[in-house]
Amino acid sequence: MMILVTGAAGQIGTDLTTTLREKFGNQNVVAMGRKTPMPKDIAEGGPCVMGDVTDIEGYRKIVDGYQIDTVYHLAAILSATGESNPQLCYDVNLNGLYNILEVAKDHGQRLFCPSSIAVFGPGTPLENTPQETVLKPTTMYGVTKVAGELLCDYYFHKYGVDVRGIRYPGLISWKTRPTGGTTDYAVEIYYEAVLNNRYECFVRADTKLPMMYMPDAIKGTLDLMDAPLESLKHHSDFNFAGMSFSAQELADCISARMPGFECTFKPDSRQNIADSWPDSIDDSAASEEWGWKPSYDLEKMSDDMLENLKRKLG
Ligand code: AKB
């Protein structure tokens, strides 16, 4: 097996590349990035290449050169950056995905192409959002994710490309900080708690969103890719849940572990994006079709985040 990870320098990419290298061997996992320098452990741990998913010929050369048969396509522009630059978001998320799918069709590759809770919008039930429901997002990121899910399913049905994907909630991790997302506050708060014992949060205290700890997200990603094709009724659009909490509940959980921690709330334009997303997700299709079950709740995640960040940040 020869695997390529696009967006390998990003928040999910760094964790996923490391885990894939542990599972399949360092030399069998190629980390691809565009302009962010690769973190040292990714750069030194196995093959790395610079490339741009919007350049199909350049991408084809990379895939041919390494004889790639499986791609985890993580390169994407997230929701907040997508609202500042919708054209870039469309280009990377849709033209880039189209290139990945075309090359996969020509090379018979397996693909993982993530979606997001950003596919939901006003009109979607807020609590326990069902698998099949209204998909009318109000962000460019959400629009590209809905279209991306449909495009992936089209390539499966029309060309037999085995492409799988899940709707990631906000992902929380201590290894690499996310950039350009709406759920980034749920990571920043832990960093700022350890560094300064205070945080100014950019959403309201009562903002409740679906979230997940990165080890669960990585496990779910690998479990979906390992599932027998015949057990899947869905392919690119699995609802995927870990936990849900409000920004205030998150701050309280940190205060209970960090005496004196202070969190204030000053909503900015990302509040509108957060308000358009559900509070909690029904992921029964994922549990029925490939056995998904999360391991972390808010308490267990907070213990692990703070322990690792204290060590990492000194
Ligand atoms: C974002 O906030 O844009 C992402 C996401 C939920 O897809 N973390």
Side-chain angles (χ1 to χ4, degrees), residues 10 20 40 44 48 90 92 104 137-138 142-143 146-147 152 159 162 168 188 191 193 205 219 229 288 293:
L20 288 168
K40 201 164 171 279
E44 291 173 1
C48 287
Y90 184 97
V92 173
T138 47
V143 169
V146 174
C152 288
Y159 301 115
D162 182 2
Y168 284 132
E188 285 175 10
Y191 273 84
K219 181 178 181 306
L229 185 58
E288 279 155 27
K293 193 169 164 294

Short mmCIF file of all heavy atoms in Angstrom, two decimals, residues 10 20 40 44 48 90 92 104 137-138 142-143 146-147 152 159 162 168 188 191 193 205 219 229 288 293:
data_model
loop_
_atom_site.label_atom_id
_atom_site.label_comp_id
_atom_site.label_asym_id
_atom_site.label_seq_id
_atom_site.Cartn_x
_atom_site.Cartn_y
_atom_site.Cartn_z
N GLY A 10 -1.57 20.25 8.28
CA GLY A 10 -2.70 20.83 9.00
C GLY A 10 -3.01 20.12 10.31
O GLY A 10 -2.32 19.18 10.71
N LEU A 20 -0.83 6.92 10.43
CA LEU A 20 -0.74 6.06 9.24
C LEU A 20 0.68 5.49 9.09
O LEU A 20 0.86 4.33 8.72
CB LEU A 20 -1.12 6.85 7.98
CG LEU A 20 -2.61 7.17 7.82
CD1 LEU A 20 -2.83 8.19 6.69
CD2 LEU A 20 -3.43 5.92 7.53
N LYS A 40 8.53 19.30 12.00
CA LYS A 40 9.79 18.55 11.95
C LYS A 40 9.57 17.03 11.96
O LYS A 40 10.16 16.31 11.16
CB LYS A 40 10.62 18.96 13.18
CG LYS A 40 12.09 18.70 13.08
CD LYS A 40 12.81 19.51 14.16
CE LYS A 40 14.26 19.15 14.26
NZ LYS A 40 14.54 17.96 15.02
N GLU A 44 10.79 14.69 8.95
CA GLU A 44 11.88 13.73 9.17
C GLU A 44 11.40 12.28 9.25
O GLU A 44 12.19 11.36 9.15
CB GLU A 44 12.64 14.10 10.46
CG GLU A 44 13.41 15.38 10.27
CD GLU A 44 14.05 15.91 11.55
OE1 GLU A 44 13.89 15.24 12.61
OE2 GLU A 44 14.68 16.97 11.49
N CYS A 48 8.09 13.39 2.01
CA CYS A 48 7.27 14.61 1.99
C CYS A 48 7.39 15.23 0.61
O CYS A 48 8.44 15.14 -0.02
CB CYS A 48 7.81 15.64 2.98
SG CYS A 48 7.49 15.22 4.67
N TYR A 90 -13.79 28.07 -2.76
CA TYR A 90 -14.39 27.31 -3.87
C TYR A 90 -13.30 26.59 -4.66
O TYR A 90 -13.41 25.39 -4.98
CB TYR A 90 -15.18 28.26 -4.78
CG TYR A 90 -15.93 27.54 -5.88
CD1 TYR A 90 -17.27 27.24 -5.75
CD2 TYR A 90 -15.26 27.16 -7.05
CE1 TYR A 90 -17.95 26.55 -6.75
CE2 TYR A 90 -15.93 26.47 -8.04
CZ TYR A 90 -17.28 26.17 -7.89
OH TYR A 90 -17.94 25.49 -8.88
N VAL A 92 -10.09 25.72 -3.91
CA VAL A 92 -9.37 24.61 -3.24
C VAL A 92 -10.34 23.46 -2.95
O VAL A 92 -10.05 22.31 -3.25
CB VAL A 92 -8.71 25.11 -1.93
CG1 VAL A 92 -8.11 23.95 -1.16
CG2 VAL A 92 -7.64 26.15 -2.24
N ALA A 104 -8.10 9.79 -9.10
CA ALA A 104 -8.46 8.52 -8.45
C ALA A 104 -9.17 7.59 -9.43
O ALA A 104 -8.93 6.39 -9.46
CB ALA A 104 -9.35 8.78 -7.24
N PRO A 137 -26.56 25.09 3.77
CA PRO A 137 -25.62 25.91 4.54
C PRO A 137 -25.60 27.35 4.03
O PRO A 137 -25.95 27.61 2.87
CB PRO A 137 -24.28 25.23 4.26
CG PRO A 137 -24.45 24.53 2.95
CD PRO A 137 -25.89 24.11 2.91
N THR A 138 -25.14 28.25 4.89
CA THR A 138 -25.06 29.66 4.51
C THR A 138 -23.61 30.13 4.37
O THR A 138 -23.36 31.31 4.20
CB THR A 138 -25.78 30.53 5.56
OG1 THR A 138 -25.36 30.11 6.86
CG2 THR A 138 -27.28 30.39 5.47
N GLY A 142 -19.55 25.52 3.70
CA GLY A 142 -20.65 24.55 3.75
C GLY A 142 -21.13 24.18 2.36
O GLY A 142 -21.40 23.00 2.07
N VAL A 143 -21.22 25.18 1.49
CA VAL A 143 -21.66 24.92 0.11
C VAL A 143 -20.68 23.95 -0.56
O VAL A 143 -21.08 22.98 -1.21
CB VAL A 143 -21.75 26.26 -0.68
CG1 VAL A 143 -21.92 26.00 -2.17
CG2 VAL A 143 -22.88 27.11 -0.14
N VAL A 146 -21.26 20.36 0.90
CA VAL A 146 -22.44 19.67 0.37
C VAL A 146 -22.15 19.20 -1.06
O VAL A 146 -22.36 18.03 -1.41
CB VAL A 146 -23.69 20.58 0.38
CG1 VAL A 146 -24.86 19.88 -0.30
CG2 VAL A 146 -24.07 20.96 1.80
N ALA A 147 -21.65 20.13 -1.89
CA ALA A 147 -21.36 19.76 -3.29
C ALA A 147 -20.29 18.66 -3.33
O ALA A 147 -20.37 17.74 -4.16
CB ALA A 147 -20.89 20.99 -4.06
N CYS A 152 -18.48 13.21 -4.57
CA CYS A 152 -17.85 11.94 -4.17
C CYS A 152 -18.81 10.78 -4.44
O CYS A 152 -18.42 9.76 -5.01
CB CYS A 152 -17.48 11.98 -2.69
SG CYS A 152 -16.09 13.05 -2.33
N TYR A 159 -18.35 5.71 -11.47
CA TYR A 159 -17.05 5.15 -11.87
C TYR A 159 -16.53 4.09 -10.91
O TYR A 159 -15.43 3.57 -11.10
CB TYR A 159 -16.00 6.26 -11.97
CG TYR A 159 -16.35 7.35 -12.96
CD1 TYR A 159 -16.59 8.65 -12.52
CD2 TYR A 159 -16.45 7.07 -14.32
CE1 TYR A 159 -16.91 9.66 -13.42
CE2 TYR A 159 -16.77 8.08 -15.23
CZ TYR A 159 -17.00 9.36 -14.77
OH TYR A 159 -17.32 10.36 -15.67
N ASP A 162 -13.89 4.05 -4.83
CA ASP A 162 -14.23 3.77 -3.43
C ASP A 162 -13.82 4.98 -2.59
O ASP A 162 -12.71 5.06 -2.07
CB ASP A 162 -13.52 2.50 -2.96
CG ASP A 162 -13.88 2.14 -1.52
OD1 ASP A 162 -14.69 2.86 -0.90
OD2 ASP A 162 -13.32 1.13 -1.01
N TYR A 168 -16.93 15.74 9.89
CA TYR A 168 -16.21 16.04 11.13
C TYR A 168 -16.91 17.16 11.90
O TYR A 168 -17.27 18.19 11.31
CB TYR A 168 -14.79 16.51 10.85
CG TYR A 168 -13.78 15.46 10.44
CD1 TYR A 168 -12.96 15.66 9.34
CD2 TYR A 168 -13.61 14.30 11.19
CE1 TYR A 168 -12.00 14.72 8.97
CE2 TYR A 168 -12.65 13.36 10.83
CZ TYR A 168 -11.85 13.57 9.72
OH TYR A 168 -10.91 12.65 9.36
N GLU A 188 -8.06 26.93 21.12
CA GLU A 188 -7.35 28.12 21.64
C GLU A 188 -7.51 28.26 23.15
O GLU A 188 -6.59 28.64 23.86
CB GLU A 188 -7.91 29.39 21.00
CG GLU A 188 -7.49 29.59 19.57
CD GLU A 188 -8.17 30.79 18.92
OE1 GLU A 188 -8.83 31.60 19.62
OE2 GLU A 188 -8.03 30.92 17.70
N TYR A 191 -4.89 26.32 25.03
CA TYR A 191 -3.55 26.92 24.91
C TYR A 191 -3.46 28.15 25.82
O TYR A 191 -2.50 28.32 26.56
CB TYR A 191 -3.29 27.35 23.46
CG TYR A 191 -2.72 26.25 22.60
CD1 TYR A 191 -3.56 25.30 22.00
CD2 TYR A 191 -1.35 26.14 22.37
CE1 TYR A 191 -3.05 24.30 21.19
CE2 TYR A 191 -0.83 25.14 21.57
CZ TYR A 191 -1.68 24.22 20.98
OH TYR A 191 -1.16 23.23 20.18
N ALA A 193 -5.29 28.96 28.37
CA ALA A 193 -5.38 28.60 29.79
C ALA A 193 -4.00 28.23 30.31
O ALA A 193 -3.59 28.68 31.39
CB ALA A 193 -6.36 27.43 29.98
N ALA A 205 -21.18 32.70 25.27
CA ALA A 205 -21.04 31.63 26.28
C ALA A 205 -22.01 30.48 26.03
O ALA A 205 -21.71 29.32 26.31
CB ALA A 205 -21.28 32.22 27.66
N LYS A 219 -9.23 7.60 14.98
CA LYS A 219 -9.69 6.20 15.05
C LYS A 219 -10.90 6.01 14.11
O LYS A 219 -10.96 5.04 13.34
CB LYS A 219 -10.06 5.84 16.49
CG LYS A 219 -10.53 4.41 16.62
CD LYS A 219 -10.85 4.02 18.04
CE LYS A 219 -11.27 2.57 18.13
NZ LYS A 219 -12.38 2.21 17.24
N LEU A 229 -16.55 -2.76 2.12
CA LEU A 229 -17.39 -1.92 1.26
C LEU A 229 -18.85 -2.36 1.29
O LEU A 229 -19.76 -1.54 1.31
CB LEU A 229 -16.84 -1.97 -0.19
CG LEU A 229 -17.50 -1.07 -1.21
CD1 LEU A 229 -17.44 0.40 -0.82
CD2 LEU A 229 -16.88 -1.27 -2.59
N GLU A 288 -24.06 1.89 13.08
CA GLU A 288 -24.62 0.66 12.48
C GLU A 288 -23.76 0.12 11.34
O GLU A 288 -23.54 -1.08 11.23
CB GLU A 288 -26.03 0.92 11.93
CG GLU A 288 -27.12 0.90 13.00
CD GLU A 288 -28.34 1.73 12.61
OE1 GLU A 288 -28.61 1.90 11.40
OE2 GLU A 288 -29.01 2.24 13.54
N LYS A 293 -17.97 4.36 17.69
CA LYS A 293 -18.29 4.66 19.08
C LYS A 293 -17.15 5.52 19.64
O LYS A 293 -15.99 5.10 19.62
CB LYS A 293 -18.37 3.35 19.87
CG LYS A 293 -18.98 3.47 21.24
CD LYS A 293 -19.25 2.04 21.76
CE LYS A 293 -19.50 1.97 23.22
NZ LYS A 293 -18.37 2.33 24.06
#
